[in-house]
Amino acid sequence: MAEKGGSRGPMRRFWSLPRKRRGAPGLPKPDEIMHQDIVPLCAADIQEQLKRRFAYLSGGRGQDGSPVITFPDYPAFSEIPDKEFQSVMTYLTSIPSLQDAGIGFILVIDRRQDKWTSVKASVLRIAASFPANLQLVLVLRPTGFFQRTLSEIAFKFNRDDFKMKVPVIMLSSVPELHGYIDKSQLTEDLGGTLDYCHSRWLCHRTAIESFALMVKQTAQMLQSFGTELAETELPNDVQSTSSVLSTHTEKKDKAKEDLQLALKEGQRILESLREPLAESTAHSVNQDQLDSQATVQRLLAQLNETEAAFDEFWAKHQQKLGQCLQLRHFEQGFREVKATLDTVSQKIATFTDVGNSLAHVEHLLRSLASLEEKSSVAVERARALALQGQQLIENKHYAVDSIHPKCEELQHLCHQFATEISRRRGLLSKSRELHSLLETSMKWCDEGIYLLASQPVDKCQSQDGAEAALQEIEKFLETGVENKIQELSKIYKEYETILTPDLLDHVQKVFQKQESMHEMFHRRQASLKKLAAKQTRPVQPVAPRPEALAKSPCPSPGSWRGSENSGSEDSALRRGPYRRAKNERSENRQGRGSSTGDEEEGLAILRRHVMNELLDTERAYVEELLSVLEGYAAEMENPLMTHLISTGLHNKKDVLFGNMEEIYHFHNRVFLRELERCTDCPELVGRCFLERMEDFQIYEKYCQNKPRSESLWRQCSDCPFFQECQKKLDHKLSLDSYLLKPVQRITKYQLLLKEMLKYSRNCEGAEDLQEALSSILGILKAVNDSMHLIAITGYDGNLSDLGKLLMQGSFSVWTDHKKGHTKVKELARFKPMQRHLFLHEKAVLFCKKREENGEGYEKAPSYSYKQSLNMTAVGITENVKGDAKKFEIWYNSREEVYIVQAPTPEIKAAWVNEIRKVLTSQLQACREASQHRTLEHSHSLPLPAPSSTSPSGGNSRHVKKLEERKTDPLSLEGYVSSSLPKPPEKGKGWSKTSHSLEVPEDEGGWSSAEEPINSSDAEEDGGVGPKKLVPGKYTVVLDDEKGGPDTLAMRSGDVVEVVEEGAEGLWYVRDLSSGTEGWVPASSLSALLGTSSSAQCLSSSESSPGSAVLSNSSSCSEGCPAPFSDLQG
């Protein structure tokens, strides 16, 4: 799914406004505009009623700050409808602030021109419907003599009718009113000096409330726009991203215009409120006017704050859209460059010819240079694009995880291109060098032959002519050092990479010609030397004189022995230095022997030193565990210490200490004693570890509990109980340091074993030490894996049902499914998911790593479960083109493909090997089960056997053969369907639905539920495709005499020939005795033994022609119901 355009979090800053309190000055506070549930009355709603001016809020205040509401003389007061009267009262009482309204209102009722009856009715009506607190009611009674007298008498006799919560005071004149309210707080009609214009007041109120509504609508508009921005999915192509960015920019500009209009309106209203003061400095401003100004100022401030927050949010959103556009440009460029470089790579791959002549090689080099020049634009663009991607990463682009792999791939493609060009140029240069040598040699041979042919025979007959010819030949042969092939083996070795069969034949022919020419030169030289030889006189033979014979008589046997003795003395003299040297070497060897002994003694001392350290630290470890158990754990149950234990520690002993007591007993009673027995033979300490390796599993339980213990300690570390225990034990460190001791100890063992192994390489126990070290490291890995395993959340099942956890680690994962939305497929290629994989024996889990929180062990990450794949339906492709760190995990015959990128090639290799082991073990388990059933059938049923071989002997030999071969036939389909497939068409059979497949150990992709040849690597590497499976003969092992419309009735012992493999474990066969055909369950057939030479075949109901991509529903997890089948050729 595409990314969201922004977060809603920042938007709250500009659409959330402060809440209004009822009765706030002037207007509802801005927050009320956004959040109020009941819409308050506005001046515009009751404008006509307010214009009647039967009551108004002048802005005057009493002595204690009470707001004054004036009821002027209004003859038609009694005719005002109750609803209108109530609305005006509610609106007027909502204007003052809560503080002023809380004091109570002062009502001034002017009835100087009215009658007593009207006065009474007005006062009672006002008292009955007034919606706020009243402090004082001041009534200016009628001024006429009769009415004044009547009001005095009537008020005395009807006082009970005026009983209210506040006093009602009848005033006879305006001066009396000034005794209660200062003149400056009364309008001119009441003898005051307060400047009040009702029409101006109404105009201001209407404008302020209209402005407040505008602020509300602007805020709502910004809220809606902000939500739209936050929920916008970022497009996946350049054009759409540009369109979204342009549309959002236009909407932003429109919103800013509306915001500016609201600000201008607010400024205009504020200036209007301040206008009287600007016209006359002597003009006094009442409290209501001040409150109105404050309200408008707050609204303006809120608008400014909203604008600033929106600008900030828009800047982030615009930045993300800009980054998205950059990313889409980068991805588009990446696709184009990669397609171009792939085309270039294909062209380079065609440069396989090394040339058949020097001219041809020169032409190939020029073609390669031309291709390099034409491709340089694409390569430079790829490098520039990779640099652009690096700049995006440096600028903290949000899609670093998508950009970084592409940059690496671009760099890899550029490097691969340069490397391949360099390699091809190197091969062609080598070829040019060899062809140049061959042509030079050929030219030299031709010149030599020409030289021999051009030497005049007549001149060579004389001695001088022969010598001149010899010198000429010798001078020419000297030039052969640089111009001929010296050693053929050296040529083979030096130019091995380019020696094609044709070129090799050419080299041999040139060398043969060169040798033939040499032979011609040698013969010519021999002839010329004879001619050039000087003539000398013959030497006369002379007989020896007798004295010479006497001086040197023939030796007798004795003299021979004497000479031998003499010779032996001479020999002894001659052998003297040799013997001295031999003695010296013997002494040196003795010296080295003594030196080796010293070295061994030194190693023994070092071994004892390591053993002493192991024992000393083990004893100290046991003592520390005991002190913690006695000084802390036991004290938690001591009644005298209960008052020091906080409530959070009650019944939490097992959580805090885990299984420390179990660890202590193991080390104190067992392991320490066994270590002490190895004191004299430290090199044998490995056996102690190996014999107790299962006991070390208790550390896994302790480490799994450690996060809970750590969390509890952090909550209760200040508990007085711990301080008291630490004081009694005289420990310098607090309890948490001692709770960490088991974790530190289990990691210390591997260091000590490494040291011991370092000094015990040639000792008796070296193998045990190595195995113990590997086992301890395995335990540490299991502990670490289990710590990650318990952090998985969201998995509904029981993780223990998935078998042993073999490996876990974080990877980048791309998905490429056959089924699914096209957008997911396209995104899968470019944007990886960060997933933490857990490989179990029965399944592989995909989880998402969450943020690390807390400290110490609480900082361990958590993993949200996403999905799991059953290992019985999993296959792998070990190598993904273009990246040595990638491999594929595919599911259900590649319906789901997950491209996994490891952090390093080493981690990838480890995972691939481990998955291969799991799949191999599943396949082997299925083989053994099927072999067992095959043996049962072969022993219980009469099967044809080869001559001079008993059935049992044939079976035993065949089973042995099955165990030794890796190409055992295996069927993983069970007979699980009630419906039968259609019989095969004539001429169509095994060639369409089944293949005989080899099982290479190192194949790129394979699974236990599918043929190992189902590999992407096998297809990419141009491997030989699967061979067609020849129909075979089988023996019926289960009776089914009823048969059906399409099924074949058969009896045990019948021999049938398989025609086609069908779906859901059914095979279409022909009965060889009756010639009838029909469908039978594969599980009811057993292969004829002793005549098969076929390779392994996995049956499938979904094989496509020529693909060998096999899937199954029963797989290994269903017990592999189908028997082994030895298909005959």
Side-chain angles (χ1 to χ4, degrees):
M1 177 179 285
E3 309 99 315
K4 295 292 185 182
S7 173
R8 292 190 181 185
M11 290 297 296
R12 295 175 183 167
R13 293 183 53 195
F14 67 81
W15 71 51
S16 295
L17 305 174
R19 283 192 173 273
K20 180 243 180 192
R21 299 185 304 274
R22 183 183 178 278
L27 278 175
K29 282 204 171 179
D31 178 69
E32 181 67 16
I33 297 171
M34 290 298 302
H35 301 283
Q36 58 194 3
D37 297 325
I38 300 175
V39 178
L41 285 173
C42 296
D45 299 332
I46 57 173
Q47 189 171 4
E48 292 302 322
Q49 292 89 326
L50 291 173
K51 284 182 178 180
R52 295 182 186 178
R53 200 171 174 267
F54 60 80
Y56 60 87
L57 188 68
S58 63
R61 293 290 186 270
Q63 295 178 357
D64 54 359
S66 302
V68 176
I69 295 180
T70 304
F71 291 86
D73 190 12
Y74 190 76
F77 185 80
S78 59
E79 299 174 3
I80 300 173
D82 291 339
K83 184 177 181 181
E84 294 181 4
F85 180 79
Q86 187 67 38
S87 297
V88 172
M89 290 297 102
T90 302
Y91 178 74
L92 292 178
T93 54
S94 68
I95 294 176
S97 65
L98 284 176
Q99 182 180 357
D100 293 345
I103 300 174
F105 286 86
I106 297 177
L107 303 184
V108 177
I109 305 174
D110 185 6
R111 291 295 180 264
R112 287 176 290 178
Q113 304 300 325
D114 210 342
K115 299 179 181 179
W116 165 247
T117 55
S118 298
V119 172
K120 179 181 178 182
S122 298
V123 172
L124 293 176
R125 184 178 187 182
I126 293 171
S129 59
F130 196 76
N133 296 332
L134 283 173
Q135 185 185 33
L136 184 63
V137 178
L138 300 175
V139 182
L140 285 171
R141 55 190 174 184
T143 57
F145 175 79
F146 175 75
Q147 293 296 331
R148 185 172 66 247
T149 305
L150 180 61
S151 64
E152 290 177 354
I153 297 172
F155 185 71
K156 292 179 181 179
F157 287 99
N158 298 291
R159 189 180 297 274
D160 293 339
D161 294 340
F162 295 97
K163 283 186 177 179
M164 302 171 67
K165 295 181 181 180
V166 294
V168 178
I169 300 174
M170 292 291 179
L171 302 176
S172 301
S173 63
V174 172
E176 291 183 24
L177 176 62
H178 295 167
Y180 292 93
I181 301 175
D182 190 81
K183 292 174 61 176
S184 62
Q185 301 300 317
L186 293 173
T187 56
E188 293 179 357
D189 56 344
L190 294 176
T193 60
L194 181 64
D195 181 23
Y196 174 75
C197 176
H198 188 68
S199 60
R200 185 177 59 193
W201 175 86
L202 184 58
C203 180
H204 285 169
R205 293 302 307 173
T206 305
I208 292 172
E209 290 170 359
S210 176
F211 176 59
L213 181 61
M214 182 183 293
V215 172
K216 174 183 177 180
Q217 292 173 346
T218 303
Q220 289 176 340
M221 178 269 296
L222 292 178
Q223 178 183 10
S224 176
F225 183 44
T227 303
E228 178 186 350
L229 297 183
E231 294 181 351
T232 299
E233 291 187 358
L234 300 182
N236 298 315
D237 57 88
V238 174
Q239 184 176 358
S240 299
T241 307
S242 300
S243 176
V244 169
L245 181 58
S246 175
T247 302
H248 285 184
T249 303
E250 290 178 2
K251 290 184 178 181
K252 186 268 299 185
D253 294 339
K254 179 65 171 61
K256 288 284 287 183
E257 288 179 5
D258 295 341
L259 194 61
Q260 291 298 323
L261 287 175
L263 287 171
K264 290 180 179 178
E265 178 64 17
Q267 290 292 343
R268 186 190 66 78
I269 295 173
L270 186 61
E271 291 175 1
S272 177
L273 290 173
R274 293 173 177 174
E275 185 177 353
L277 186 61
E279 292 176 355
S280 174
T281 55
H283 179 78
S284 61
V285 181
N286 60 51
Q287 187 62 42
D288 286 351
Q289 291 173 336
L290 292 175
D291 290 344
S292 296
Q293 292 182 19
T295 298
V296 175
Q297 288 173 345
R298 281 196 300 272
L299 288 172
L300 287 172
Q302 187 62 42
L303 276 179
N304 288 325
E305 182 182 349
T306 300
E307 182 181 22
F310 177 74
D311 289 343
E312 180 183 354
F313 176 81
W314 168 255
K316 292 180 180 179
H317 179 75
Q318 187 181 33
Q319 179 186 14
K320 188 156 190 179
L321 278 179
Q323 288 183 346
C324 178
L325 186 60
Q326 292 174 342
L327 177 63
R328 301 307 175 227
H329 279 295
F330 176 76
E331 290 173 342
Q332 181 176 341
F334 173 80
R335 289 191 293 269
E336 294 172 355
V337 168
K338 189 174 185 304
T340 305
L341 290 181
D342 287 343
T343 304
V344 170
S345 299
Q346 292 175 1
K347 290 181 180 179
I348 294 177
T350 60
F351 279 83
T352 56
D353 196 355
V354 293
N356 51 24
S357 65
L358 183 59
H360 188 200
V361 174
E362 294 286 356
H363 172 72
L364 290 175
L365 280 170
R366 286 193 297 271
S367 299
L368 184 64
S370 175
L371 176 62
E372 183 180 13
E373 183 180 358
K374 292 178 181 178
S375 306
S376 61
V377 177
V379 174
E380 288 302 321
R381 186 182 175 192
R383 288 181 178 141
L385 197 61
L387 182 61
Q388 179 185 346
Q390 291 296 335
Q391 291 175 349
L392 292 178
I393 294 173
E394 292 174 2
N395 293 334
K396 298 181 180 180
H397 196 282
Y398 70 88
V400 172
D401 292 339
S402 174
I403 297 172
H404 186 67
K406 293 181 178 63
C407 291
E408 290 185 343
E409 187 171 356
L410 287 172
Q411 292 170 355
H412 172 73
L413 289 173
C414 292
H415 177 71
Q416 186 180 23
F417 171 80
T419 303
E420 189 64 18
I421 286 288
S422 178
R423 189 181 74 84
R424 295 288 179 185
R425 184 182 290 109
L427 291 176
L428 290 175
S429 298
K430 280 266 185 189
S431 178
R432 178 173 60 182
E433 183 180 330
L434 178 58
H435 278 288
S436 177
L437 177 61
L438 292 175
E439 290 196 6
T440 302
S441 179
M442 289 283 289
K443 183 178 180 181
W444 183 74
C445 290
D446 292 341
E447 290 177 353
I449 294 171
Y450 176 78
L451 174 63
L452 293 178
S454 62
Q455 285 183 338
V457 179
D458 53 346
K459 292 183 178 180
C460 294
Q461 297 299 322
S462 64
Q463 182 177 355
D464 294 337
E467 288 179 353
L470 273 174
Q471 291 177 0
E472 190 177 12
I473 290 175
E474 288 173 356
K475 186 181 294 185
F476 177 79
L477 289 177
E478 287 177 0
T479 62
V481 176
E482 299 176 356
N483 297 325
K484 71 175 183 178
I485 301 174
Q486 301 296 333
E487 297 179 18
L488 198 59
S489 59
K490 186 177 179 181
I491 293 294
Y492 290 161
K493 184 176 180 180
E494 185 175 355
Y495 300 101
E496 180 182 5
T497 55
I498 60 170
L499 282 178
T500 62
D502 292 339
L503 186 54
L504 181 62
D505 183 57
H506 183 47
V507 170
Q508 291 172 347
K509 287 180 179 179
V510 172
F511 186 75
Q512 185 178 0
K513 182 177 182 180
Q514 184 178 289
E515 292 299 308
S516 299
M517 194 204 69
H518 269 285
E519 186 178 352
M520 293 169 62
F521 269 96
H522 290 157
R523 287 199 299 267
R524 177 67 62 89
Q525 281 178 313
S527 300
L528 292 174
K529 285 179 180 178
K530 289 180 182 179
L531 293 172
K534 295 180 180 181
Q535 299 296 324
T536 56
R537 290 183 305 168
V539 178
Q540 295 292 332
V542 178
R545 288 179 294 175
E547 295 87 80
L549 293 175
K551 289 182 180 178
S552 57
C554 292
S556 64
S559 65
W560 276 113
R561 285 192 296 271
S563 65
E564 287 178 4
N565 293 335
S566 173
S568 65
E569 291 176 2
D570 295 339
S571 176
L573 291 175
R574 287 193 302 269
R575 286 197 300 268
Y578 166 73
R579 287 179 176 175
R580 284 195 299 272
K582 185 176 181 180
N583 291 335
E584 289 175 1
R585 286 195 298 271
S586 176
E587 290 174 0
N588 289 337
R589 281 196 295 271
Q590 291 176 0
R592 284 197 300 271
S594 61
S595 146
T596 304
D598 293 341
E599 184 179 351
E600 285 297 327
E601 184 178 351
L603 291 175
I605 293 173
L606 292 172
R607 288 195 294 271
R608 284 194 295 272
H609 174 73
V610 175
M611 190 66 203
N612 290 337
E613 182 181 357
L614 175 59
L615 284 171
D616 292 342
T617 53
E618 185 72 14
R619 294 187 185 106
Y621 174 56
V622 170
E623 290 176 3
E624 287 172 342
L625 292 182
L626 179 61
S627 68
V628 171
L629 292 172
E630 291 181 346
Y632 286 96
E635 289 296 309
M636 290 185 72
E637 299 175 356
N638 185 356
L640 299 177
M641 301 286 286
T642 305
H643 66 285
L644 298 176
I645 300 177
S646 61
T647 56
L649 280 173
H650 289 166
N651 301 322
K652 295 293 181 63
K653 175 182 173 182
D654 292 339
V655 175
L656 186 61
F657 297 97
N659 61 332
M660 181 182 283
E661 186 174 355
E662 183 182 6
I663 294 174
Y664 166 73
H665 288 313
F666 163 65
H667 284 271
N668 184 51
R669 298 173 182 175
V670 180
F671 194 60
L672 178 58
R673 297 179 184 180
E674 293 185 356
L675 289 178
E676 289 172 343
R677 296 193 191 106
C678 297
T679 305
D680 297 331
C681 300
E683 62 275 7
L684 302 180
V685 75
R687 295 178 185 175
C688 295
F689 283 91
L690 291 176
E691 291 171 358
R692 297 297 172 186
M693 201 53 65
E694 291 185 3
D695 295 317
F696 279 104
Q697 302 295 333
I698 58 179
Y699 279 91
E700 185 172 342
K701 180 179 178 182
Y702 185 85
C703 291
Q704 287 178 350
N705 179 71
K706 195 68 179 71
R708 298 175 60 206
S709 173
E710 187 82 9
S711 177
L712 180 61
W713 165 256
R714 292 189 180 280
Q715 295 174 15
C716 306
S717 58
D718 296 334
C719 180
F721 168 77
F722 294 125
Q723 300 172 4
E724 184 65 22
C725 291
Q726 182 177 350
K727 183 178 179 181
K728 287 183 179 180
L729 293 170
D730 195 22
H731 281 176
K732 295 181 180 179
L733 300 175
S734 56
L735 174 61
D736 60 324
S737 299
Y738 290 91
L739 293 176
L740 196 59
K741 292 292 182 181
V743 181
Q744 295 172 337
R745 187 59 184 169
I746 191 66
T747 55
K748 177 73 172 177
Y749 285 131
Q750 55 103 3
L751 299 176
L752 293 171
L753 285 172
K754 284 180 181 178
E755 285 295 308
M756 185 66 77
L757 182 62
K758 179 181 177 181
Y759 306 130
S760 310
R761 290 295 181 187
N762 300 320
C763 296
E764 178 184 353
E767 293 182 1
D768 290 339
L769 284 170
Q770 183 62 56
E771 187 176 353
L773 175 59
S774 300
S775 300
I776 284 290
L777 292 174
I779 288 178
L780 291 176
K781 178 182 178 298
V783 169
N784 181 56
D785 290 346
S786 67
M787 297 291 287
H788 289 271
L789 198 60
I790 62 176
I792 296 178
T793 59
Y795 183 73
D796 294 335
N798 189 353
L799 290 173
S800 60
D801 294 341
L802 303 181
K804 181 181 178 182
L805 177 63
L806 304 175
M807 300 190 80
Q808 54 84 23
S810 294
F811 299 88
S812 296
V813 179
W814 291 260
T815 58
D816 187 9
H817 301 341
K818 289 182 180 178
K819 300 178 180 179
H821 199 274
T822 306
K823 183 184 294 185
V824 176
K825 282 187 174 182
E826 293 174 355
L827 283 177
R829 181 178 180 186
F830 300 111
K831 183 180 179 183
M833 300 176 291
Q834 299 305 314
R835 291 291 182 262
H836 201 89
L837 271 60
F838 294 85
L839 176 63
H840 294 260
E841 292 175 324
K842 297 181 181 179
V844 56
L845 269 63
F846 289 74
C847 299
K848 184 174 182 180
K849 190 175 182 180
R850 296 299 181 187
E851 293 289 338
E852 299 180 357
N853 298 315
E855 299 179 359
Y857 278 86
E858 287 187 336
K859 198 175 181 181
S862 63
Y863 305 98
S864 296
Y865 168 77
K866 294 298 180 183
Q867 66 190 109
S868 62
L869 305 179
N870 194 329
M871 291 302 293
T872 58
V874 161
I876 60 170
T877 301
E878 297 187 14
N879 297 310
V880 176
K881 184 177 180 182
D883 196 335
K885 296 182 291 184
K886 287 182 181 178
F887 63 97
E888 286 184 355
I889 299 177
W890 38 271
Y891 193 66
N892 280 344
S893 301
R894 300 187 71 86
E895 277 192 6
E896 301 177 18
V897 179
Y898 302 88
I899 303 172
V900 182
Q901 185 183 51
T904 63
E906 292 75 18
I907 294 178
K908 170 209 165 178
W911 272 74
V912 168
N913 290 337
E914 198 64 39
I915 295 174
R916 188 195 295 122
K917 290 178 184 177
V918 174
L919 301 181
T920 303
S921 64
Q922 291 179 350
L923 188 61
Q924 185 62 30
C926 293
R927 285 177 176 170
E928 292 174 357
S930 299
Q931 286 176 3
H932 180 68
R933 283 192 293 274
T934 302
L935 286 175
E936 288 181 352
H937 292 316
S938 63
H939 280 298
S940 61
L941 298 173
L943 299 177
S947 60
S948 72
T949 304
S950 64
S952 62
N955 283 336
S956 63
R957 285 194 299 273
H958 184 62
V959 170
K960 183 176 181 181
K961 183 179 178 182
L962 289 176
E963 292 175 352
E964 292 175 353
R965 291 171 57 194
K966 293 186 177 181
T967 57
D968 303 329
L970 176 61
S971 174
L972 297 181
E973 290 290 354
Y975 178 48
V976 297
S977 174
S978 59
S979 62
L980 296 173
K982 296 180 180 179
E985 299 175 10
K986 289 184 179 182
K988 298 179 181 179
W990 287 91
S991 62
K992 286 202 67 174
T993 58
S994 179
H995 304 277
S996 175
L997 306 178
E998 294 294 329
V999 187
E1001 289 183 348
D1002 297 327
E1003 192 59 44
W1006 54 290
S1007 71
S1008 62
E1010 302 180 2
E1011 274 300 328
I1013 200 66
N1014 303 339
S1015 165
S1016 299
D1017 291 347
E1019 298 171 3
E1020 291 176 4
D1021 296 341
V1024 179
K1027 301 177 182 178
K1028 292 186 178 180
L1029 184 61
V1030 181
K1033 297 178 181 179
Y1034 291 78
T1035 301
V1036 178
V1037 296
L1038 295 177
D1039 290 334
D1040 185 11
E1041 298 182 356
K1042 295 182 180 180
D1046 293 322
T1047 59
L1048 181 66
M1050 55 188 181
R1051 290 177 299 175
S1052 177
D1054 289 348
V1055 178
V1056 298
E1057 182 179 21
V1058 178
V1059 179
E1060 181 189 14
E1061 179 189 13
E1064 300 178 352
L1066 296 181
W1067 287 358
Y1068 195 86
V1069 301
R1070 180 186 297 111
D1071 191 334
L1072 297 181
S1073 59
S1074 64
T1076 58
E1077 296 180 351
W1079 293 98
V1080 297
S1083 57
S1084 63
L1085 302 181
S1086 177
L1088 291 175
L1089 304 179
T1091 60
S1092 172
S1093 60
S1094 64
Q1096 182 181 15
C1097 173
L1098 299 181
S1099 65
S1100 170
S1101 61
E1102 299 178 3
S1103 298
S1104 59
S1107 67
V1109 178
L1110 310 179
S1111 64
N1112 64 79
S1113 57
S1114 56
S1115 191
C1116 298
S1117 61
E1118 299 179 6
C1120 301
F1124 275 81
S1125 304
D1126 195 8
L1127 305 176
Q1128 294 188 7

